[in-house]
Amino acid sequence: MSTRALEITDLTYQYPNGTLALDKLSLAVEANERVAIIGANGAGKSTLLLHLTGVLRASSSSAFKVFGTELSKKTLREIRQRVGMVFQNPDDQLFCPSVHEDVAFGPRNLKLPESEVLKKVEESLAAVGLPDHGSRSAFQLSLGQKKRAAIATVLAMDCQMLALDEPTSALDPRGRREIMELLEQLGGTQLIITHDFALAQRLCSRAIILHNGRKVADGDPANLLNDEALLDAHDLL
Amino acid sequence: MKDTLFDQQASPDNFIHSLDPRTKILTLFPLIFVSTSTPPQFLLSFGLYSLYLIVLTALARIPIKLLIKRFLMALPFILMVSAYLPFVEQQDLSNPYSGGWWLFWNMVIKAFIGIYAMSVLTATTRFAKLIQGFARLRAPQLLLMLLSFTYRYMFVLVEEAQRMKRARDARAYGGRWLWQAKVIGQMIGTLFLRSYERGERVYLAMCSRGYDGTQSLWQNSSEALGRRDYAFALSSISVFILARWGVVI
Ligand SMILES: Nc1ncnc2c1ncn2[C@@H]1O[C@H](COP(=O)(O)OP(=O)(O)O)[C@@H](O)[C@H]1O
Ligand SMILES: [Mg+2]
């Protein structure tokens, strides 16, 4: 039996100000599966994603396994390398003076030799279609290019799973199409938070609907996203 | 918003632009020290320092307009600390090169050389490369991180402020100045909060890419300087030494 990419049982998270963002959430993602996480604003999607790389830690006892490894202080490093997090706002992810430095940041943290780092940077920028943009600064890129550069920063870490927070939000139709094609072509395990129903139906084999920190539906995107009663009940229509 | 401070039209085939940033740092900073240590009456020395920088400007094809902009930017500060000197300082009778005017000249010419040298450095080196150069010369990492974040988010912040200003003006901003002051205060508060939150998110983004606060952001193991770098640095330093100590015959 192959190990699951992600297995979460009874995940509860409460922000320090008392907001219960995740409420006994359980879900599983198989390896090489592309899953859409859908939910209204405030449903807890981003909070869930922040748990994936151990940036946030569950408030109560729960099981959290990434590729069969239990998330803990000891395994944090390993899990951060396995899960590539792409934040919603690329300005948060591209914090270096040049795109090249941003993409090199992860591999350097992994203590790879500089020649290896250079190779990874070139490969990753080529994979997202920005091979000649390394020397640019992020403010010289369009939003679509910034989002792709942000994806390159995690590709360079050779992760086994991509976790993306609203990768197509605020993009023009061309930028959106480019991201969709890129995700399709990258393959592998992907967890995509999105409000983009077309993306979910075209790319994902499964959709999970969150509402108030709970999972309310899990299944075929084509069925779920055409179920008006379901969508309406969870503020998605 | 555009970046006009640092080199953006990088010319990889230009000799000066393509030098290792470390080489440029290690020649232009010494020039500033040598110039600072030169007595004000060594007019020929200052002429030679300027000539050296003019030659670099020509070789690197730095637009004159850009240089003038930098000088104008610095002018108020230089005048602020030097303009009063000719009127208050008395000449010391034992030293013919003392007194207000010599002091004034001393300050202005050294500021000129310093700003000119820094302009040549930044106009021919991309910011990212410059920071990397400093890192390879073992400058403190914390300082470099602060500089590099400032550079990166300065533009984001200015754009955010411009958006807020537009939103404010679109809603018929005006009225008594007390009211205006209140609005401006709120804007600054909002900007501060947003930057604070951004800082937190950036930190999360760093952590999720494996940063634990101990690694070096700029790999220290670095390629050696090339032959051209040594040649440039050595010839430049020789020029400075000759200009400083060779002219007193
Ligand atoms: N840093 C925070 N502090 C307190 N509450 C937060 C914080 N971030 C999010 N929340 C709250 O947690 C809930 C889930 O937020 P989030 O995961 O960002 O939702 P989504 O990404 O699905 O829009 C919301 O009610 C939100 O207001
Ligand atoms: Mg969100």
Side-chain angles (χ1 to χ4, degrees), chain A residues 41-42 44-47 88 165-166 193 195:
Chain A
N41 288 326
K45 308 179 299 289
S46 299
T47 309
Q88 181 170 354
D165 199 345
E166 307 202 11
I193 289 182
H195 288 123

Side-chain angles (χ1 to χ4, degrees), chain B residues 15-164:
Chain B
F15 174 65
I16 305 291
H17 286 248
S18 64
L19 282 172
D20 191 294
R22 285 174 293 179
T23 311
K24 287 184 258 188
I25 293 169
L26 288 180
T27 42
L28 291 168
F29 274 91
L31 172 59
I32 296 176
F33 293 129
V34 170
S35 142
T36 313
S37 77
T38 309
Q41 67 273 25
F42 285 21
L43 302 183
L44 185 55
S45 301
F46 291 111
L48 289 172
Y49 304 150
S50 308
L51 186 65
Y52 170 81
L53 288 170
I54 289 167
V55 170
L56 285 200
T57 309
L59 282 178
R61 300 183 191 286
I62 302 170
I64 304 297
K65 246 167 98 183
L66 188 128
L67 288 178
I68 292 175
K69 236 190 232 161
R70 304 267 169 97
F71 288 130
L72 287 181
M73 250 156 64
L75 196 62
F77 300 99
I78 299 171
L79 288 182
M80 215 158 61
V81 295
S82 62
Y84 70 95
L85 288 172
F87 308 105
V88 293
E89 287 294 325
Q90 294 301 314
Q91 189 177 351
D92 171 1
L93 290 176
S94 64
N95 180 356
Y97 304 114
S98 65
W101 282 107
W102 276 114
L103 269 176
F104 176 75
W105 156 253
N106 187 31
M107 214 170 247
V108 169
I109 186 64
K110 288 174 183 177
F112 170 77
I113 299 284
I115 293 161
Y116 198 171
M118 285 302 99
S119 301
V120 169
L121 177 63
T122 54
T124 60
T125 318
R126 283 176 184 274
F127 185 82
K129 291 268 176 209
L130 193 60
I131 291 284
Q132 199 178 47
F134 277 112
R136 287 174 173 173
L137 292 169
R138 319 255 166 208
Q141 160 128 332
L142 193 61
L143 190 71
L144 297 181
M145 271 171 90
L146 280 177
L147 276 177
S148 111
F149 285 141
T150 306
Y151 174 77
R152 170 70 183 88
Y153 288 109
M154 176 168 74
F155 300 96
V156 176
L157 199 69
V158 167
E159 262 168 22
E160 221 155 73
Q162 280 170 347
R163 271 201 301 275
M164 278 170 76

